[in-house]
């Protein structure tokens, strides 16, 4: 299904103002953890995180994608509590607020590490990147060097030695798993777009997923179960109605749009032989018997 198959909407993942209600519904769906088939959010762990987070903004999705990895996962509960006003956001120094406010005082992104070095400790951009690399690769000699720079430059920038040391210790700890925000943002664009499509065009979206994954029986089974949860009728394979891929067709019993099982998803049925069946129906009409 291409862009032309669904009503046009703005390319920006936040969409236009008139589509805000539609986007809010997609965020509500994510907040319920109903994300089977949604890019980056399919695992049960992700679904559990989303139920606790109840994301409202694009930035929440970026943070969630970045936090759900070994290491930062332990900070998900704290992020969620602060997001919902259940815990006060604290900063090692007031000047960190402008850098860490969007992540509620928690260092999540590599870009934040570089910002802290530049804005609080006078690092040039290239120098800050070298510091980030040294921390992420745990180069002990380089770590000692940069810690000394923090302690030396801190007082000159109104950062007392105790705060400078605490900030560096945080950076050293967080940088072990610090994620690149620009990378996570690219992921999040596709996450929100796929969530939006699933929320508002469930038949089209699930049909596309099933067709793309038709050779993976485990995924097909998972997506079919999700279709049942969404109350989308699943129509069995039929030589007179099925195409190679899954297809949207009316349910003969209810008239509701359902998803017809694709012939190419049947085990041990070769696509080249099936193509002749589909072509014969298209050109000569329905088969009337097994012999036919």
């Amino acid at each position: 299904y291409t862009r032309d198959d669904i009503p046009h909407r703005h390319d920006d993942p936040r969409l236009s103002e008139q589509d805000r209600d539609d986007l809010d519904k997609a965020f509500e769906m994510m907040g319920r953890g109903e994300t089977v088939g949604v890019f980056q959010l399919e695992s049960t762990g992700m679904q559990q995180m989303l139920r606790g987070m109840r994301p409202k903004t694009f930035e929440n999705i970026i943070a969630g994608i970045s936090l759900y990895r070994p290491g930062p996962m332990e900070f998900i509960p704290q992020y969620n509590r602060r997001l919902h006003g259940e815990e006060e956001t604290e900063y090692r120094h007031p000047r960190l607020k402008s850098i860490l406010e969007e992540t509620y005082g928690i260092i999540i992104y590599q870009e934040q590490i570089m910002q802290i070095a530049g804005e609080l400790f006078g690092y040039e951009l290239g120098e800050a990147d070298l510091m980030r690399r040294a921390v992420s690769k745990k180069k002990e000699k380089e770590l000692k060097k940069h810690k000394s720079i923090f302690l030396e430059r801190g007082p000159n920038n109104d950062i007392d030695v105790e705060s400078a040391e605490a900030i560096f210790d945080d950076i050293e700890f967080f940088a072990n798993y610090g994620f690149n925000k620009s990378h996570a943002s690219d992921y999040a664009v596709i996450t929100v777009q796929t969530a939006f499509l699933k929320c508002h065009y469930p038949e089209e979206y699930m049909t596309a997923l099933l067709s793309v994954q038709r050779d993976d029986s485990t995924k097909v089974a998972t997506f079919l179960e999700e279709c049942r949860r969404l109350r989308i009728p699943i129509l069995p394979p039929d030589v007179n109605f099925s195409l190679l891929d899954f297809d949207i067709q009316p349910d003969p019993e209810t008239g509701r749009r359902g998803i017809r099982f694709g012939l190419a998803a049947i085990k041990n049925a070769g696509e080249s032989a099936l193509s002749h069946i589909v072509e014969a129906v298209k050109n000569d009409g329905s088969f009337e018997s097994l012999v036919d």
Side-chain angles (χ1 to χ4, degrees), residues 41-265:
L41 304 183
E42 294 194 69
S43 71
T44 53
M46 270 287 195
Q47 291 169 0
Q48 183 178 353
M49 179 198 73
L50 289 166
R51 292 186 191 105
M53 179 182 286
R54 303 188 301 280
K56 302 290 184 186
T57 68
F58 184 58
E59 287 71 20
N60 295 155
I61 302 299
I62 301 172
I65 289 171
S66 302
L67 284 167
Y68 193 76
R69 291 176 301 111
M73 290 178 72
E74 65 182 271
F75 293 97
I76 290 173
Q78 184 180 56
Y79 176 93
N80 289 343
R81 288 194 302 271
R82 291 181 175 185
L83 169 64
H84 297 297
E86 298 165 2
E87 177 183 309
E88 185 178 351
T89 299
E90 298 178 351
Y91 303 96
R92 294 289 191 185
H93 191 277
R95 288 177 61 188
L96 286 173
K97 184 176 180 181
S98 62
I99 300 171
L100 301 180
E101 188 170 20
E102 73 167 284
T103 54
Y104 304 97
I106 301 170
I107 300 173
I108 296 178
Y109 311 120
Q110 292 181 359
E111 290 89 340
Q112 289 175 320
I113 292 170
M114 296 174 66
Q115 275 184 280
I116 292 169
E119 295 180 23
L120 273 66
F121 298 96
Y123 275 64
E124 296 292 335
L125 190 60
E127 189 182 15
D129 188 47
L130 290 174
M131 185 270 292
R132 176 196 61 77
R133 291 185 195 178
V135 176
S136 62
K137 294 182 179 179
K138 300 180 181 179
K139 295 182 177 180
E140 189 172 346
K141 184 177 178 181
E142 292 294 313
L143 288 175
K144 289 181 180 178
K145 169 190 166 185
H146 287 291
K147 187 168 186 175
S148 298
I149 294 173
F150 269 50
L151 298 180
E152 178 186 336
R153 295 182 184 177
N156 297 331
N157 290 278
D158 298 322
I159 313 290
D160 61 83
V161 171
E162 185 178 348
S163 296
E165 185 169 17
I167 291 169
F168 186 84
D169 289 344
D170 281 348
I171 287 176
E172 185 177 359
F173 178 74
F174 283 108
N176 289 330
Y177 57 75
F179 205 53
N180 185 297
K181 185 183 180 184
S182 59
H183 193 165
S185 299
D186 281 346
Y187 278 170
V189 169
I190 303 173
T191 296
V192 174
Q193 287 173 336
T194 52
F196 180 89
L197 292 172
K198 182 183 178 184
C199 180
H200 295 288
Y201 306 99
E203 292 89 353
E204 285 84 356
Y205 189 69
M206 296 308 298
T207 300
L209 282 179
L210 285 161
S211 294
V212 168
Q213 301 291 350
R214 69 188 191 190
D215 295 326
D216 188 327
S217 58
T218 301
K219 287 190 175 181
V220 167
T222 298
F223 294 149
L224 288 176
E225 185 58 37
E226 180 68 358
C227 289
R228 294 184 185 99
R229 188 190 68 79
L230 293 169
R231 298 183 180 178
I232 300 172
I234 303 298
L235 309 178
D238 187 310
V239 290
N240 288 326
F241 296 104
S242 291
L243 303 179
L244 289 177
D245 280 330
F246 289 80
D247 188 49
I248 297 174
Q249 296 179 10
D251 182 351
E253 294 183 6
T254 65
R256 185 184 167 183
R257 299 167 84 227
I259 298 178
R260 175 71 68 181
F261 205 94
L263 293 179

